[in-house]
Amino acid sequence: MKIPSVEAEPLLHVEGVNKLYGINRGCQEIDFNLYAGEVLGIVGESGSGKSTLLNCLSGDVPPDCGQIVVASSVGDKVDLYQASESRRRLLMRSEFGIVKQNPRDGLRLQVSAGANIGERLMAIGERHYSRLRDVGIDWMSQVELDPERIDDFPETFSGGMQQRLQIARVLVTQPRLVLMDEPTGGLDVSVQAKLLDLIRSLVSELNLSVVMVTHDLAVARLLCHRLIVMKKSRIVETGLTDQILDDPQHSYTQLLVSSVLTP
């Protein structure tokens, strides 16, 4: 992927973030910047702290210490955990999007596909029914779902289709920052490939900034500009994706890459 130009100010600034549940469980001493249009991958073995870090970034789990600062669309900088509850909720609804590994966790199964997409718009003030429906139809087309199924319930969709619907639900408010947790996990290989192509095209077309947790280095190579490698709660290596995967410097990264390449 083409590396986006680094702007003077990062969209997301993370400094000194710690969230520990025990010795080396969680994340600690986490520092990084994320810029507009950039996809940052977080990789590492199970238990390395990837998911804890993502939960801190999503506003779900307050860190023990550290700063998570977002440059909002109105030009101010918002410390996610120093802001008021109402300011944080508005930011999460309008400028953040979260794509969960299991799409059922990111969808409301009791309402239609169209209602799932429209609900996020309603949360930021849209109330016109025909407008909500038109946008729902448009987004179903964008994620390659049959618009005629707008009134169908998510339960009637396959896993891959549910993930596409979740992506439409997340992106309809045009967030500037999207957090993705293993977005292709649990899907068949052929479904994964189509979904990855969709994500890559949407990231490019919408100039999204993305933080993606993945255990799959092939997914990381396809989608991510930069990588953070985590082991036992800490960052052990960071850099351009091709650089890390083709010439890893840390012994753990070398082991991670070789274990994928070894048949």
Side-chain angles (χ1 to χ4, degrees):
M1 295 178 68
K2 183 180 178 182
I3 301 170
S5 59
V6 173
E7 299 178 353
E9 293 292 331
L11 175 64
L12 179 68
H13 173 69
V14 178
E15 182 177 354
V17 167
N18 284 29
K19 182 64 182 181
L20 290 174
Y21 300 101
I23 299 175
N24 294 330
R25 289 192 63 242
C27 62
Q28 57 184 318
E29 299 179 8
I30 304 298
D31 301 291
F32 68 85
N33 288 328
L34 179 74
Y35 296 88
E38 184 178 34
V39 182
L40 176 68
I42 304 174
V43 301
E45 63 192 0
S46 178
S48 62
K50 307 185 302 296
S51 295
T52 298
L53 175 55
L54 200 69
N55 288 335
C56 290
L57 299 178
S58 70
D60 288 340
V61 176
D64 300 326
C65 62
Q67 288 186 318
I68 299 173
V69 179
V70 181
S72 78
S73 59
V74 297
D76 62 341
K77 294 180 181 178
V78 182
D79 187 320
L80 205 56
Y81 291 100
Q82 294 299 317
S84 67
E85 181 65 23
S86 60
R87 182 73 175 94
R88 182 164 65 248
R89 281 201 308 266
L90 178 61
L91 194 71
M92 301 309 295
R93 285 198 305 262
S94 58
E95 301 198 31
F96 273 60
I98 303 169
V99 176
K100 300 188 177 182
Q101 178 177 358
N102 186 343
R104 297 170 68 88
D105 294 334
L107 295 170
R108 288 190 60 202
L109 303 180
Q110 304 85 0
V111 301
S112 69
N116 267 280
I117 297 171
E119 189 174 53
R120 289 249 314 169
L121 286 175
M122 292 177 68
I124 58 172
E126 180 62 62
R127 291 292 184 268
H128 198 283
Y129 174 77
S130 62
R131 159 77 176 157
L132 290 169
R133 191 169 180 84
D134 287 345
V135 171
I137 289 171
D138 177 61
W139 266 101
M140 288 190 72
S141 296
Q142 287 196 55
V143 298
E144 300 173 6
L145 292 174
D146 183 355
E148 292 188 1
R149 298 199 62 183
I150 191 169
D151 295 316
D152 291 357
F153 287 78
E155 289 276 16
T156 67
F157 291 177
S158 68
M161 293 168 68
Q162 287 178 351
Q163 192 63 290
R164 289 170 184 270
L165 180 60
Q166 184 188 193
I167 289 170
R169 174 183 168 90
V170 166
L171 297 185
V172 68
T173 55
Q174 300 180 5
R176 304 172 73 220
L177 173 62
V178 179
L179 309 176
M180 295 186 176
D181 185 6
E182 302 277 9
T184 61
L187 299 176
D188 292 341
V189 173
S190 60
V191 177
Q192 280 189 20
K194 292 179 181 178
L195 187 60
L196 286 170
D197 284 342
L198 173 67
I199 293 172
R200 185 165 62 170
S201 64
L202 288 173
V203 165
S204 176
E205 290 167 12
L206 302 175
N207 195 38
L208 295 174
S209 298
V210 178
V211 177
M212 175 183 291
V213 163
T214 182
H215 72 281
D216 191 328
L217 297 186
V219 169
R221 188 185 288 276
L222 182 68
L223 293 179
C224 302
H225 300 106
R226 284 192 298 130
L227 288 183
I228 283 174
V229 182
M230 293 188 67
K231 177 179 173 61
K232 293 184 178 178
S233 77
R234 299 177 185 271
I235 295 174
V236 297
E237 189 166 357
T238 183
L240 298 177
T241 299
D242 286 346
Q243 179 184 48
I244 284 183
L245 296 184
D246 293 340
D247 187 24
Q249 299 300 303
H250 192 277
S251 57
Y252 172 70
T253 312
Q254 292 169 357
L255 182 63
L256 200 65
V257 171
S258 65
S259 67
V260 173
L261 297 178
T262 302

